[in-house]
Amino acid sequence: MPMTFDASSRATPNVLVALHSSGAGGRQWQGWRGLLPAAVELRTPDLLGYGLAGWGDGAAVTLDDEAQALHAEIAAVPGGVHLLGHSYGGSVALQVALRWPQHVRSLTLYEPVRFALLREAEPALWSGIVAVGREIGTLLRERGPEGAAERFVDYWSRAGAWQGLAPQRRQAVATRMAKVCAEFEALFGDPVPEAAYQALRMPLRLLAGTRSPRPAQRVAERLVQRVPGSVLVRLDGLGHLGPIEDAARVAAQCLPALLRPLPLAA
């Protein structure tokens, strides 16, 4: 049976802004265009430091910086946008929603890595992911981009995943490792208190793979406890790279928000 939009969707555009994960870039979503209803306009901006998006190599960055860089494009859409985010992109999507809820119709987030949610509540997981992030930074300084990229890819995928990547893909990830390290520090320095997420009122759909590293799964679990009306969908057999490895399966989880647009958050 073909999918159709609720009649209310004709009154406002259905713009889906998809924010990519660390090390990827907006091209991460290029295979999604054929997986979404034709009436959805998919926009895939680069975050700071990817493509033409400005960022000084080696400079610090914050989640507010990332959100501010997207604000003009999002605010210009009449009726607001649906936000889709993966990993670090999901963290940025949450920052946009916290700052400008009036511009966000819905959130669909695959393992948004707001690790600060673990800082006090789950110190062992917090110290573990901080150690991983800082290790990657040390490898970048001591062994160069490829050494850091191997640890990064193997952590989020599986041991040996880096060796299985095509040379062109390895080079693309390695060239972005300085920004990836800055992103880790942005997450570790995140000052948003856990209670702040209770203010979110737009529909929030959290997605998590059952094979993903535990810190990412626990962040999703803590968010669903905090955000009123949010739901958490576990995707059996998928890992942290689910939106890339099984785009069709993850894209299907975006449809509830897109097919039945809801009023903007108050």
Side-chain angles (χ1 to χ4, degrees):
M1 179 181 296
M3 291 178 292
T4 58
F5 277 78
D6 185 279
S8 64
S9 67
R10 299 171 188 166
T12 57
N14 280 276
V15 176
L16 176 64
V17 177
L19 304 181
H20 61 83
S21 61
S22 290
R27 292 188 63 188
Q28 167 183 329
W29 306 105
Q30 62 183 1
W32 279 56
R33 297 187 185 278
L35 301 174
L36 299 170
V40 173
E41 178 187 344
L42 177 63
R43 300 185 185 181
T44 61
D46 287 321
L47 299 178
L48 293 173
Y50 298 81
L52 299 178
W55 172 74
D57 193 7
V61 70
T62 68
L63 292 170
D64 262 343
D65 294 335
E66 302 277 14
Q68 189 64 54
L70 297 165
H71 177 253
E73 178 177 352
I74 289 172
V77 177
V81 303
H82 300 275
L83 282 181
L84 166 65
H86 174 209
S87 190
Y88 184 71
S91 294
V92 175
L94 278 168
Q95 196 69 11
V96 171
L98 289 166
R99 289 282 306 276
W100 304 289
Q102 70 274 22
H103 298 315
V104 180
R105 301 191 70 81
S106 72
L107 290 165
T108 304
L109 309 178
Y110 193 100
E111 297 180 10
V113 286
R114 298 292 291 236
F115 293 129
L117 286 166
L118 307 175
R119 185 186 288 125
E120 296 183 5
E122 305 194 42
L125 285 179
W126 164 255
S127 60
I129 191 59
V130 170
V132 170
R134 299 277 163 77
E135 179 189 359
I136 291 169
T138 298
L139 287 169
L140 178 63
R141 294 188 297 272
E142 296 181 354
R143 291 177 48 192
E146 289 207 356
E150 180 173 7
R151 179 69 174 106
F152 174 71
V153 170
D154 283 3
Y155 177 79
W156 287 118
S157 297
R158 64 188 183 284
W162 171 256
Q163 295 300 324
L165 293 181
Q168 184 178 6
R169 179 61 183 148
R170 285 195 201 178
Q171 182 180 10
V173 176
T175 59
R176 293 165 173 161
M177 287 313 298
K179 177 64 192 328
V180 168
C181 289
E183 291 166 0
F184 269 117
E185 293 305 319
L187 296 170
F188 299 155
D190 176 11
V192 175
E194 188 167 350
Y197 296 99
Q198 293 176 333
L200 296 176
R201 290 295 182 267
M202 69 286 293
L204 168 59
R205 191 172 182 85
L206 292 156
L207 311 176
T210 58
R211 292 194 299 102
S212 298
R214 190 60 180 153
Q217 293 194 51
R218 284 299 294 146
V219 168
E221 290 164 2
R222 295 197 69 82
L223 278 169
V224 79
Q225 293 169 359
R226 282 294 185 182
V227 181
S230 59
V231 297
L232 172 59
V233 179
R234 298 186 185 279
L235 298 175
D236 189 49
L238 291 191
H240 189 65
L241 299 185
I244 298 170
E245 295 172 344
D246 197 341
R249 188 175 174 192
V250 178
Q253 294 296 329
C254 299
L255 298 182
L258 294 172
L259 294 176
R260 299 184 185 278
L262 295 172
L264 287 172

